[in-house]
Amino acid sequence: MSRPMEMTSQDSITCAPVEEAKMADGDSIPVCLDDVEAIALKKMSKNAYDHYRSGADDQQTLGDNRAAFKRYRLRPMFLRQDVSTRDLATTIQGVPVDFPVGIAPTAVQRMAHPDGEVATARAAASVRSCMIFSTYATSRMEAVAADTPDGLRWFQLYVFKNQKQTEDLIRRAEQSGYRALVLTIDCYHSGTKRADIRNKFTLPKHLRTENLSDDGKPYDGVCGLGFAPLLWSDVKKLKSFTKLPVVVKGVLTGEDAVRAVESGVDGIMVSNHGGRQLDGVPASIDVLSEVVQAVQGRCEVYLDGGVRSGTDVLKALALGARAVFIGRPALYGLAYNGEAGVKLVLQMLRDELSLAMALAGCANIGDIQRSLVVHESRYLQPKL
Ligand SMILES: Cc1cc2nc3c(=O)[nH]c(=O)nc-3n(C[C@H](O)[C@H](O)[C@H](O)COP(=O)(O)O)c2cc1C
């Protein structure tokens, strides 16, 4: 299945419901990320789709991650400059990327497609984006690195009670060319995913978490087993243990952002784990300004959670994110069409961002200023 035509940055982008977008042979044509999800849903088992899609408890935060983006409004500035071509290139941790959207770490990608993490890494590399590789990957990190030697890959780390296990993961990531460590801080107990309990979720028998020694339990959708208690002092220790940049993932307050900076981190990912951990925490986009203000430019700030369109990306960049990352959309791209599906998802976001920038009067990433975005409350009781 392929797109009907190559989308250029000049095309208008509308998100038709998937039912309305049928090719003559009856295949659906995805024109936006929601369409990709709708097709992926049909291709995956209930066990897999529910595991990927679910949030914790009542899924309040899961829903709010998306809804919150809609509470921000864009303020375009016209005629200031020629925006007929746009440059989306930027850097993250000093490394060039073609556009500021990367792939967040997600566990067990071979459940979505047999090529799993290999396909995701190839797709990211093919459009010069960044892939964050999960500790709970179902492919060996060395194999993925060897397959995409030029791709930008970061390694997501959990700290295990078994210190040797943790140290081995770090050294292997360093040796196989991962360019940063992403320390996830919000998952030392696992949020309750009710659908997984109802489905009695298990990883299909032929899959394993390939990078962990077998002294732990097999992956059953519950992270936190075997993890060491983690303190900010451990983040400092990690910084002295590795020369790689360290990004902490899961920061949701200005206070923790300051602690992260004081612990010497190189980056902060504003994230609520896609609404899968503490239900009731704010949407990532609602926290971003607080974190950016607390950090005061001392390290790069990224965001994940609920990013599904180019205007979502534009809003996050305007509110101070250096780049954003997508979790579930990459899994749905994988399920839809392997490497090509993930690439399509990234290209859609790139093209939508490019068009949104043109419509907002921005020719390059540096033109995306804070003044481009306001909260909707400004318009709800307008002063006449
Ligand atoms: C199925 C699934 C598995 C995940 N596995 C991990 C993981 O292994 N490590 C991690 O740091 N975050 C993990 N996450 C969280 C993502 O990195 C990311 O924070 C989240 O998916 C972003 O929200 P989005 O899915 O709305 O884009 C996972 C998320 C999902 C949906």
Side-chain angles (χ1 to χ4, degrees):
M1 214 178 314
S2 64
R3 303 185 79 189
M5 63 181 136
E6 191 60 31
M7 179 89 71
T8 73
S9 50
Q10 310 296 329
D11 288 324
S12 71
I13 295 165
T14 52
C15 182
V18 72
E19 290 76 15
E20 290 174 19
K22 301 268 187 199
M23 288 195 293
D25 61 4
D27 267 350
S28 302
I29 306 167
V31 299
C32 63
L33 267 55
D34 283 343
D35 285 357
V36 175
E37 177 176 352
I39 300 170
L41 163 62
K42 293 183 197 153
K43 294 197 160 197
M44 275 189 274
S45 69
K46 185 168 165 50
N47 181 62
Y49 178 71
D50 280 354
H51 179 67
Y52 288 155
R53 184 201 50 80
S54 293
D57 300 347
D58 289 339
Q59 309 189 118
Q60 179 189 5
T61 298
L62 174 72
D64 205 33
N65 270 350
R66 291 200 65 181
F69 273 107
K70 308 286 181 239
R71 298 197 290 260
Y72 292 87
R73 299 282 190 266
L74 292 162
R75 301 175 64 244
M77 302 278 177
F78 297 115
L79 311 188
R80 291 177 306 172
Q81 58 180 331
D82 178 0
V83 292
S84 53
T85 59
R86 274 85 55 205
D87 182 2
L88 276 61
T90 186
T91 61
I92 47 175
Q93 298 299 324
V95 178
V97 287
D98 275 4
F99 58 109
V101 180
I103 297 182
T106 51
V108 297
Q109 296 186 0
R110 282 187 197 271
M111 197 167 65
H113 188 277
D115 298 340
E117 293 82 5
V118 173
T120 305
R122 282 186 188 167
S126 72
V127 291
R128 287 232 309 165
S129 165
C130 172
M131 176 214 187
I132 310 179
F133 184 95
S134 167
T135 288
Y136 281 119
T138 37
S139 312
R140 288 210 31 109
M141 68 169 108
E142 290 83 359
V144 170
D147 191 75
T148 48
D150 300 328
L152 175 57
R153 280 166 282 95
W154 293 354
F155 182 78
Q156 179 267 320
L157 181 71
Y158 286 122
V159 174
F160 292 88
K161 282 186 200 135
N162 178 345
Q163 196 176 334
K164 185 164 180 320
Q165 170 121 281
T166 311
E167 291 180 3
D168 282 353
L169 285 171
I170 297 170
R171 293 297 179 238
R172 287 171 57 198
E174 291 171 343
Q175 279 158 20
S176 47
Y178 290 75
R179 306 281 285 274
L181 295 178
V182 178
L183 178 67
T184 300
I185 63 170
D186 61 4
C187 199
Y188 283 75
H189 298 85
S190 197
T192 302
K193 270 74 92 188
R194 293 174 185 161
D196 280 352
I197 298 173
R198 290 187 187 112
N199 294 341
K200 301 189 174 52
F201 173 83
T202 49
L203 192 61
K205 290 222 167 17
H206 64 288
L207 298 178
R208 291 164 21 107
T209 48
E210 293 284 343
N211 296 284
L212 301 175
S213 58
D214 273 339
D215 55 0
K217 284 179 60 172
Y219 180 85
D220 56 3
V222 177
C223 57
L225 298 168
F227 291 171
L230 197 64
L231 301 172
W232 286 110
S233 52
D234 298 309
V235 179
K236 280 190 186 159
K237 282 185 209 151
L238 176 63
K239 271 296 292 176
S240 60
F241 186 77
T242 181
K243 290 204 168 49
L244 290 178
V246 171
V247 175
V248 288
K249 172 174 181 284
V251 170
L252 287 173
T253 60
E255 291 92 320
D256 274 355
V258 169
R259 289 183 192 108
V261 169
E262 288 170 356
S263 307
V265 303
D266 305 276
I268 290 174
M269 179 92 73
V270 173
S271 171
N272 50 39
H273 218 100
R276 292 166 78 81
Q277 288 296 100
L278 180 61
D279 198 26
V281 298
S284 304
I285 191 70
D286 280 339
V287 175
L288 182 58
S289 292
E290 177 181 329
V291 169
V292 167
Q293 271 173 30
V295 166
Q296 293 186 334
R298 289 175 287 174
C299 69
E300 293 185 351
V301 177
Y302 317 109
L303 170 139
D304 74 21
V307 175
R308 299 293 182 270
S309 70
T311 52
D312 291 346
V313 182
L314 188 63
K315 288 170 184 175
L317 298 183
L319 290 170
R322 180 87 185 174
V324 303
F325 290 79
I326 50 167
R328 295 179 184 83
L331 294 169
Y332 300 147
L334 257 184
Y336 161 55
N337 199 14
E339 177 188 342
V342 181
K343 185 174 175 184
L344 176 68
V345 163
L346 288 168
Q347 285 172 323
M348 281 178 174
L349 286 175
R350 182 195 63 196
D351 294 347
E352 288 179 10
L353 173 63
S354 178
L355 178 61
M357 286 170 60
L359 295 171
C362 301
N364 57 55
I365 298 296
D367 291 338
I368 303 173
Q369 297 291 318
R370 178 67 185 79
S371 54
L372 184 57
V373 160
V374 287
H375 194 262
E376 67 171 8
S377 52
R378 169 160 168 182
Y379 300 106
L380 293 179
Q381 290 178 318
K383 293 189 187 75
L384 296 177

